[in-house]
Amino acid sequence: MPQIGYLSEDRLRNIPKRQWAAHEFSFYLHDLIAHLTSAAERHRAGHIQIKIETEKDIEALREASDPIDFLSVTGRTDEERRLMVNHICAALLPDMLHFIHAGLTALEKRKFTLAFACLRKPFNEGMPLIALLCADEEKFFTKFKTDPVDFLDGRRFHRTAKRLAIEAAIAKCSDLDFLSADVLYAYLFDFENPSGFAGLFDKAMHLVTRNSSIKTEAYNLNFIFKDPRQNDVYESSYQVISYVLLCIHLMQVELLKRMHFPADDYLKQLSIRAAGTYQALFLKGRSEIAGSINETLGGLMKCPVCNERVRLRKRTVPMFFVTENLECDQCGHVNQFPLAWLMSNHAGDGVNSQHD
Ligand SMILES: [Zn+2]
């Protein structure tokens, strides 16, 4: 897969060339989640409005330790839940993004242990918590309010509970047929899966590990003697990283829709572009979204250099969706294409359907 052009070559120079596009896409997903988080903040999407009508309310507000306390004391349970969920999203996602950014940057420097130590918390703890919110915020609210430790510590919110939360969240946030809780479970929590992250996460965190599938060999310490010139980590990691980040993005979009975020079509467009890029980069078979774009926008895709009609190909999908540049399949020139504008004009057509 060719370079997407999202990151400078300077950033990519230590990564094997075959994985450049995948690394760029991972960073694009990180930036997409970050951009939506700050856009939500700017639009005050997490704010709620309430009317204070009685003297009793004014007194309660004066005496409350914070706005959530006021809502609780005055029996405004729905508003309390909404504010709490919004508040958690606004605070948890940036925390997850700090670790993801550090993990991806560590991969650019071939610091493998650091990369997996950084990715563990947002992937294995943050993402399942976002999934719980996405799946059933009423249940989350009730339990979180009474005893968050008992609700969320490892004894209760264990691997199986996380799989169930993720399954329920995916059912709410996406109808993409390649997204599944079983795949996420295998990627993040199954120590028996040799290409998953469960073992790598533990090995990155601990010098020695006892679990039979990741037991530290005699005369060794986890990761300490790993040759940083080896490329195996790059070959096996990007599909997992991209898959998890795509899920976080889709769950974030679902949560934003429940807030006052006035951009449903735009959110849908971003999700289609992210999912289409994932499919083109990592899944076998033809790219259905490329076919759908050719059908809907093909009439406008004419190369300004050679004047030929351009068809979007699976290999040119990542650059097209991530940077809005279209590579001519006749002469090879790359030109800007106003994808976002045109997709918003075709909202509701086939081009904006996740199945097409
Ligand atoms: Zn051309």
Side-chain angles (χ1 to χ4, degrees), residues 99 103 111-125 188 191 197-210 214 216 221-224:
F99 284 91
K111 296 177 179 173
F112 303 131
T113 332
L114 182 61
F116 287 106
C118 289
L119 294 175
R120 197 196 73 82
K121 186 181 166 201
F123 283 15
N124 277 20
E125 294 184 22
L188 297 179
F191 286 94
F197 279 9
L200 288 174
F201 282 156
D202 267 20
K203 283 187 165 188
M205 299 296 288
H206 307 289
L207 288 172
V208 292
T209 35
R210 189 182 287 276
I214 54 163
T216 310
L221 292 169
N222 293 334
F223 266 124
I224 295 301

Side-chain angles (χ1 to χ4, degrees), residues 303 305-308 310 328 330-333:
C303 175
V305 178
C306 72
N307 254 343
E308 293 293 327
V310 181
C328 174
Q330 303 295 319
C331 73
H333 272 89

